[in-house]
Amino acid sequence: MADDEQWWYNTSTGEVEHGAKSPWSDRAGPYASREEAEGAPARIAANSRRMAAEDD
């Protein structure tokens, strides 16, 4: 998939971006759709909780 066909969630601004516009350190993704990228905060939080539980 070409970069301009991918969606990213910007962790600094909280905005969804079409194509890799921000520095890699500010991006989560890539995602196949805007809807997937919009759901990134919930997935990131769930992954963090899961990893914290595994550490316990």
Side-chain angles (χ1 to χ4, degrees), residues 7-52:
W7 294 85
W8 303 81
Y9 178 77
N10 185 313
T11 57
S12 292
T13 65
E15 295 182 16
V16 171
E17 301 175 350
H18 192 219
K21 296 180 178 140
S22 298
W24 68 267
S25 58
D26 293 337
R27 293 190 318 243
Y31 299 99
S33 69
R34 171 180 270 288
E35 292 76 22
E36 277 187 44
E38 288 171 341
R43 277 191 294 286
I44 292 168
N47 288 342
S48 293
R49 284 191 301 273
R50 187 188 80 245
M51 290 168 51

